[in-house]
Amino acid sequence: MVKKRVPDWLNSSLWSSAPPPDDERLLRYASKYASADDDGDGDGDGRPAAASDPPEAAAAAARPPPPPAPTRVVARGEPAGAARAGNDEENGDAEGPSGEEFARQAQLLAELSKKVVNVRELRRIVSPGIPDGAGVRPTVWKLLLGYLPSDRGLWLSELAKKRLQYKNLKAEVLMNPSEITRRLDKSTSCDNEESKFQRRGILKRSEITHGEHPLCLGKSSIWNQFFQDAEIVQQIDRDVKRTHPDMDFFSGDSAYAKANQDALRNILILFAKLNPGIRYVQGMNEILAPLFFVFRTDPDEENAAAAEADTFFCFVELLSGLRDNFCQQLDNSVVGIRSTITRLSQLLKEHDEELWRHLEVTTKVNPQFYAFRWITLLLTQEFSFTDILHIWDTLLSDPEGPQETLLRICCAMLILVRRRLLAGDFTANLKLLQHYPSMNISHLLYVANQLRSKPSG
């Protein structure tokens, strides 16, 4: 049998190295990437508008701002200047922002400044990743997930409508049955003024309906549903407390961390109650975390304050394309997680049959042993948090949804450590894949993109 040669691109030398709106709130929302167009055509040919004009900065307002400095997420205990450097021989070299990145950032800001954003062009620009420091990832992700319309003029009204909808959902769905009973009684009392003064909001024992009694086990009983949900709520509580314990944003005793945990908890409970077919599956907290982090750290304070509502709707949209992976009844179907893992195995066989044969035939490493976590958790457990955000830029930019791009990235992860895998036995390979090494993420995404094309020969 003739072994397929590794493609040349795998070892590429490349890796050696709108008119301002009248509404003041919309101006504040869009100014971090909108251009001040003198001709009013919204084509982004003017200077970037300033996000705010404090008195001490008034004299400098006319000067264009310097390029923003790259930012990164630092875990608790990590040295401030530490960079996640690759230690695998297949890595490309990680370098600072290149001229190409600055050019992409300019393209991105120009596209976002238009009256109507071309989402197809936006996907193309951000597919390799959103440049660090641009400060627009929250807005870009909302556009890619369909939460924001392409017409910038509709952003304020749409956001206000969705945030009010979320507030009402919380009030309706997350209410304790005691509060529901109290409000029902209050509503009834208001219809009868005499009853209102006589009872003072207290139900007589004979007036408590069967479905409102805490000991009622009927399917329509609000208390029965409440007790059934208690087990899920406890699981969510445990998982939320375990979410990224190395990051002060999610973990610790600070009021900020506790508020963020409460927001994650609310979103997951609300999702579970509104989606009885899936409910809550352990690990959903890991998928929720990057979304909430990005929206909660939005440079726009008003948007950051509404991160919980925005995250909920974007989380629902993201999981709508991945829900089959979380539905146990579909595990063995053509759309279930086992079928998805089989597609990853076939993809590896197409592009590197020698590696596929060594893993699955010679060393008998079943892809379920490592790929189940990779796929269901969207790689959130395999890389640093900063790298996860970069990978998700690419995942969310795929117009057909993240699944296909995710499989190509997983396949690229195998190919990029092929020499170590080919030299390893079952134990060594399983350990390597369950504890994936540091990686140049730009190189990983480049290799994954090359897998779009069918292998020759």
Side-chain angles (χ1 to χ4, degrees):
M1 178 182 297
V2 179
K3 295 181 180 178
K4 292 184 179 179
R5 185 173 62 88
V6 178
D8 294 335
W9 51 260
L10 182 58
N11 298 312
S12 171
S13 60
L14 174 65
W15 301 106
S16 61
S17 55
D22 294 333
D23 191 295
E24 182 180 353
R25 292 179 301 152
L26 183 56
L27 174 63
R28 183 170 70 255
Y29 183 83
S31 60
K32 60 181 175 287
Y33 45 75
S35 299
D37 290 325
D38 294 332
D39 55 0
D41 59 1
D43 60 1
D45 58 357
R47 291 177 287 106
S52 59
D53 295 311
E56 63 270 22
R63 296 196 300 270
T71 58
R72 62 185 299 269
V73 180
V74 180
R76 186 186 297 126
E78 180 182 1
R84 185 177 175 86
N87 60 7
D88 192 80
E89 59 186 352
E90 287 86 357
N91 278 350
D93 295 333
E95 297 181 351
S98 63
E100 181 182 351
E101 276 193 321
F102 283 120
R104 263 195 309 117
Q105 179 169 310
Q107 281 184 306
L108 178 57
L109 296 177
E111 186 58 49
L112 290 173
S113 72
K114 295 178 180 179
K115 289 181 179 178
V116 178
V117 178
N118 184 335
V119 178
R120 182 176 180 179
E121 178 64 11
L122 181 67
R123 293 183 186 279
R124 184 194 66 80
I125 295 171
V126 305
S127 179
I130 298 173
D132 290 330
V136 295
R137 181 174 275 123
T139 303
V140 172
W141 281 18
K142 290 173 186 176
L143 283 164
L144 295 178
L145 288 166
Y147 182 61
L148 282 178
S150 57
D151 188 339
R152 276 177 49 204
L154 299 176
W155 286 3
L156 271 180
S157 60
E158 285 296 312
L159 288 173
K161 181 175 69 175
K162 288 291 188 181
R163 289 165 183 174
L164 178 60
Q165 182 181 351
Y166 180 75
K167 180 181 179 181
N168 293 335
L169 278 173
K170 281 182 65 177
E172 178 183 348
V173 179
L174 300 186
M175 191 182 301
N176 186 290
S178 296
E179 179 66 13
I180 296 176
T181 302
R182 188 190 69 79
R183 293 193 180 189
L184 286 173
D185 177 54
K186 182 178 179 181
S187 175
T188 304
S189 298
C190 289
D191 293 336
N192 189 333
E193 288 295 321
E194 183 178 350
S195 174
K196 174 182 177 182
F197 290 106
Q198 290 178 349
R199 289 158 49 190
R200 298 184 180 275
I202 301 175
L203 278 175
K204 296 179 181 178
R205 182 178 181 85
S206 60
E207 294 175 340
I208 299 177
T209 65
H210 183 63
E212 294 168 358
H213 197 285
L215 298 182
C216 174
L217 299 179
K219 291 184 178 180
S220 61
S221 168
I222 55 177
W223 280 100
N224 184 37
Q225 188 61 50
F226 176 76
F227 292 132
Q228 285 183 0
D229 293 339
E231 185 177 348
I232 294 177
V233 171
Q234 289 175 1
Q235 181 64 58
I236 290 173
D237 282 338
R238 288 193 294 268
D239 290 349
V240 164
K241 291 175 182 177
R242 290 196 290 250
T243 302
H244 294 286
D246 59 333
M247 292 177 61
D248 289 328
F249 179 91
F250 293 107
S251 181
D253 297 327
S254 69
Y256 184 64
K258 290 185 180 300
N260 292 336
Q261 288 183 354
D262 288 343
L264 296 180
R265 180 181 183 275
N266 290 338
I267 293 170
L268 292 170
I269 294 175
L270 190 58
F271 178 87
K273 284 176 171 285
L274 295 176
N275 294 272
I278 301 179
R279 308 284 280 175
Y280 172 76
V281 178
Q282 195 169 12
M284 285 183 176
N285 59 304
E286 302 294 349
I287 297 178
L288 178 63
L291 286 173
F292 181 72
F293 175 86
V294 167
F295 297 155
R296 186 67 183 89
T297 56
D298 192 318
D300 185 288
E301 293 182 2
E302 186 175 340
N303 290 325
E308 183 179 325
D310 296 346
T311 303
F312 171 76
F313 288 106
C314 289
F315 179 69
V316 170
E317 179 61 30
L318 178 60
L319 255 62
S320 67
L322 304 167
R323 60 183 297 153
D324 292 343
N325 290 339
F326 292 96
C327 190
Q328 189 174 4
Q329 293 88 338
L330 297 176
D331 278 356
N332 296 314
S333 71
V334 294
V335 295
I337 183 61
R338 288 192 175 91
S339 176
T340 303
I341 293 175
T342 299
R343 286 163 55 202
L344 171 61
S345 175
Q346 292 170 344
L347 188 64
L348 177 63
K349 185 177 182 180
E350 288 178 8
H351 291 276
D352 195 336
E353 186 171 347
E354 180 186 10
L355 178 57
W356 170 85
R357 187 170 300 280
H358 180 76
L359 280 176
E360 299 194 24
V361 179
T362 304
T363 62
K364 292 181 169 48
V365 177
N366 190 319
Q368 290 191 32
F369 296 160
Y370 58 88
F372 183 88
R373 187 178 71 182
W374 290 8
I375 293 171
T376 56
L377 301 186
L378 300 184
L379 300 174
T380 55
Q381 302 299 289
E382 317 312 320
F383 300 99
S384 72
F385 199 79
T386 305
D387 290 343
I388 292 168
L389 302 185
H390 192 174
I391 291 171
W392 277 36
D393 292 339
T394 300
L395 291 178
L396 298 181
S397 69
D398 193 326
E400 298 180 357
Q403 188 87 284
E404 295 304 316
T405 297
L406 176 62
L407 292 180
R408 285 191 292 270
I409 294 175
C410 291
C411 185
M413 289 168 64
L414 295 169
I415 292 174
L416 285 174
V417 292
R418 72 185 310 273
R419 280 180 279 184
R420 293 172 64 176
L421 290 173
L422 289 174
D425 57 11
F426 174 87
T427 303
N429 287 345
L430 188 60
K431 182 179 179 180
L432 175 64
L433 297 177
Q434 289 184 342
H435 302 84
Y436 197 78
S438 303
M439 180 66 60
N440 180 334
I441 299 302
S442 295
H443 183 38
L444 171 64
L445 296 177
Y446 168 80
V447 173
N449 189 56
Q450 295 298 313
L451 298 179
R452 290 179 179 272
S453 58
K454 291 289 184 180
S456 56

